[in-house]
Amino acid sequence: MLRPAHLSRPAPAKYKAYTRDDIESLPQLRHLSAETRLDMRAVASVLPFRVNDYVLEHLIDWDRVPEDPMFQLTFPQPGMLPEADMAALRDLLIKDAAQPEITALARQIQQRLNPHPAGQMEMNVPYLDGRPLPGMQHKYRDTVLFFPSPGQTCHTYCSYCFRWPQFVGLDDLKFASRQAESLTAYLRAHPEVSNVLLTGGDPLIMRTSVLRRYIEPLLSPELEHISVIRIGTKSTAWWPWRFLTDPDADDLLRLFEEVRTAGRHLALMAHSSHPVELSTAPAQSALRRIQSTGAVVRCQAPLIRHVNDDADTWADLWRAQVRLGAVPYYMFVERDTGPKGYFEVPLVRCFDIFQTAYRRVSGLERTVRGPSMSATPGKVIVDGISEVAGEKVINLRFIQAREPTWVRRPFYARYDENATWLDQLRPAFGEAEFFFEPMLREMKEAHLEPAYGHRNVPRRKMAIFGHVEWE
Ligand SMILES: *Cc1c(COP(=O)(O)O)cnc(C)c1O
């Protein structure tokens, strides 16, 4: 475990979060107009907002605000909500309305922002002995997602966050689990699972001693079939001190080493949106320390308008990742939830950006796959634009699917310049529906267990969530 020389006697940075109530007092925002700050407070009443000093001081270029990509990625932007909602929120804030009144309006607006896309609650939550296991998702055969409840927040929130409902109290952390026991019990019953992905929020917001309670049980010999532990995190970008100077940084790296000693692979799934995030000395030192434990950093991020919607940014990003020993993994399409109107990019443009960037880099950067939609049936990539039998079509392909036999099967949609998500695409060649739709419908209607392997077990309605809502 190397500690870089210039960090051998660091002055520890103390984490402090700034939220909506700090918008009027943050010195960096003072030169913005009062109207802009009011707009920011209006948006931050509905959508999550939180930053910290590292982001303010190291990542945002304040001379380029508001266009600066890191500013767009972290601060509420006026365009994120419909103008009518903005006007109503502004009115309440100007007349200094009581918080319950603001919250009531915010709740109405939030409900219109498609808070639960991709059938996650309905179709992904697994069962053990007939009981649902909240805090887990098992959609693809090999990988179980686990949402530890103490890890359901982040060092800074991304403005477009697709898990925004849990940060504004809409979801009550129904998706989270305190118990590592239910995870290990489920895994014992599922030898087909090889990967566990701890996700959030950001699991690395947890103290190492807490994280250890979730990871150590996975290393036991009776769970030998778990070969990979993944941690989804944005901390390498938002708070690299987590790996350097936080009081339990060394202990965290020891935990990563223990995973390796137990004969498993630790994959740090770093949310990596823009080359600036990788340009700072603390971020680079953090990556070196993580890698010194034998862990591999794999990078993924969505393509977001105002943040990284051009090919140069992606080519630079993938090159920077490889230069630092990290592996480009996924480019995602912005999900159909929250302030998507402000951040979304049409699929054919996503494809063009991906392809242009991909052509500019060497084979080592081309471990990346995308642009990928995490949709209800699976992860679907836009794989090309072509003309088949005189019809202009969009080539699509599953790179991951609820039903394993769908993976890598090509299919085609009518060319559509404006579509931003799978459900806006229509099948090409005059077909009534895509090949996977009948089976997906069957999965939903029969209330089958999520993931495969349970098809014979009828699934009961999920009373635990109080409602069942198909997409
Ligand atoms: C992306 C994803 C995974 C992991 O898929 P890989 O292709 O193995 O990276 C697992 N579960 C869900 C629900 C996902 O969205």
Side-chain angles (χ1 to χ4, degrees):
M1 223 158 54
L2 295 169
R3 185 180 271 284
H6 66 282
L7 287 163
S8 56
R9 253 177 229 292
K14 184 122 177 57
Y15 178 79
K16 179 177 181 330
Y18 302 99
T19 61
R20 186 185 64 166
D21 293 340
D22 302 302
I23 287 175
E24 290 300 340
S25 56
L26 274 177
Q28 288 91 341
L29 300 182
R30 227 170 267 156
H31 67 283
L32 300 178
S33 70
E35 292 78 50
T36 304
R37 287 197 302 270
L38 180 68
D39 281 348
M40 288 176 149
R41 282 164 56 215
V43 175
S45 305
V46 176
L47 294 164
F49 166 59
R50 160 190 268 199
V51 281
N52 66 58
D53 288 312
Y54 175 81
V55 174
L56 296 174
E57 289 163 17
H58 293 264
L59 298 185
I60 296 175
D61 179 352
W62 291 96
D63 292 334
R64 292 182 54 199
V65 164
E67 286 79 27
D68 178 71
M70 289 295 108
F71 179 74
Q72 292 282 331
L73 184 51
T74 52
F75 275 83
Q77 306 297 327
M80 286 166 58
L81 292 177
E83 184 41 44
D85 292 334
M86 285 297 286
L89 287 162
R90 267 189 229 112
D91 281 351
L92 289 187
L93 291 173
I94 288 168
K95 70 176 197 204
D96 225 352
Q99 188 53 48
E101 199 181 342
I102 300 173
T103 305
L105 175 61
R107 283 284 178 263
Q108 289 172 23
I109 299 171
Q110 286 159 354
Q111 292 298 347
R112 289 196 291 269
L113 298 175
N114 189 25
H116 300 120
Q120 290 186 68
M121 291 204 195
E122 300 79 16
M123 298 189 75
N124 298 357
V125 175
Y127 281 63
L128 185 65
D129 301 330
R131 276 210 291 272
L133 299 172
M136 291 171 56
Q137 287 190 37
H138 190 186
K139 178 173 180 179
Y140 307 130
R141 183 187 55 206
D142 304 80
T143 303
V144 164
L145 267 54
F146 186 73
F147 298 71
S149 47
Q152 296 311 308
T153 178
C154 297
H155 292 98
T156 280
Y157 291 141
C158 301
S159 43
Y160 66 82
C161 181
F162 76 94
R163 297 234 166 96
W164 63 272
Q166 75 184 45
F167 303 127
V168 296
L170 210 59
D171 273 358
D172 264 351
L173 293 191
K174 279 172 194 150
F175 246 161
S177 174
R178 208 159 265 293
Q179 287 136 18
E181 292 77 36
S182 56
L183 174 63
T184 49
Y186 184 76
L187 294 174
R188 273 196 300 273
H190 288 268
E192 77 278 14
V193 176
S194 61
N195 282 227
V196 172
L197 169 55
L198 301 179
T199 185
D202 191 330
L204 294 186
I205 202 91
M206 293 189 277
R207 299 289 91 214
T208 305
S209 54
V210 179
L211 181 64
R212 205 174 263 290
R213 282 184 229 145
Y214 296 98
I215 292 186
E216 277 182 345
L218 303 176
L219 307 179
S220 89
E222 56 173 9
L223 294 180
E224 197 55 56
H225 58 291
I226 304 305
S227 51
V228 179
I229 296 169
R230 307 191 203 180
I231 301 176
T233 186
K234 183 84 187 178
S235 55
T236 49
W238 288 161
W239 191 249
W241 307 121
R242 181 69 188 92
F243 308 93
L244 301 170
T245 59
D246 274 6
D248 56 348
D250 289 356
D251 194 32
L252 178 65
L253 298 177
R254 264 193 301 274
L255 178 60
F256 288 3
E257 282 176 347
E258 283 166 37
V259 172
R260 183 171 211 198
T261 306
R264 324 297 176 90
H265 173 56
L266 191 115
L268 200 82
M269 309 304 290
H271 181 175
S272 175
S273 306
H274 194 280
V276 168
E277 298 169 351
L278 295 166
S279 69
T280 71
Q284 296 182 4
S285 300
L287 291 186
R288 276 199 298 276
R289 288 202 92 197
I290 295 162
Q291 289 156 354
S292 74
T293 69
V296 171
V297 180
R298 293 180 192 272
C299 300
Q300 52 188 25
L303 198 171
I304 300 291
R305 190 151 61 98
H306 308 291
V307 174
N308 57 16
D309 58 334
D310 68 277
D312 281 336
T313 300
W314 282 93
D316 290 347
L317 180 63
W318 297 332
R319 281 197 207 101
Q321 289 163 357
V322 168
R323 176 185 284 261
L324 298 168
V327 183
Y329 189 57
Y330 278 143
M331 175 207 266
F332 289 116
V333 177
E334 150 81 355
R335 284 210 199 194
D336 53 342
T337 179
K340 70 169 174 14
Y342 185 73
F343 293 114
E344 70 191 352
V345 177
L347 294 170
V348 295
R349 195 166 137 63
C350 292
F351 173 72
D352 184 56
I353 290 170
F354 180 88
Q355 167 140 297
T356 306
Y358 192 89
R359 285 174 175 168
R360 285 187 190 159
V361 296
S362 88
L364 289 191
E365 286 83 14
R366 293 182 187 166
T367 50
V368 70
R369 288 173 300 161
S372 167
M373 288 174 272
S374 272
T376 307
K379 282 184 167 70
V380 176
I381 61 166
V382 180
D383 211 21
I385 312 282
S386 44
E387 203 174 291
V388 179
E391 185 177 340
K392 193 171 184 186
V393 298
I394 300 176
N395 313 0
L396 300 165
R397 193 155 57 92
F398 281 103
I399 49 173
Q400 195 56 278
R402 248 174 226 292
E403 161 53 50
T405 60
W406 298 348
V407 173
R408 277 188 72 83
R409 194 168 146 177
F411 61 109
Y412 302 89
R414 261 188 248 162
Y415 184 78
D416 182 337
E417 215 161 65
N418 303 315
T420 56
W421 199 251
L422 184 62
D423 61 4
Q424 295 163 14
L425 293 174
R426 292 289 140 253
F429 316 129
E431 280 168 25
E433 52 188 8
F434 292 121
F435 79 89
F436 58 86
E437 289 186 273
M439 189 156 175
L440 185 65
R441 212 163 33 239
E442 203 179 302
M443 288 173 169
K444 284 181 181 178
E445 281 164 11
H447 292 207
L448 294 176
E449 288 258 353
Y452 76 108
H454 291 264
R455 294 220 180 94
N456 304 323
V457 187
R459 214 189 115 198
R460 77 215 69 213
K461 290 216 174 196
M462 305 201 51
I464 188 164
F465 294 129
H467 70 286
V468 172
E469 212 179 81
W470 305 122
E471 206 193 21

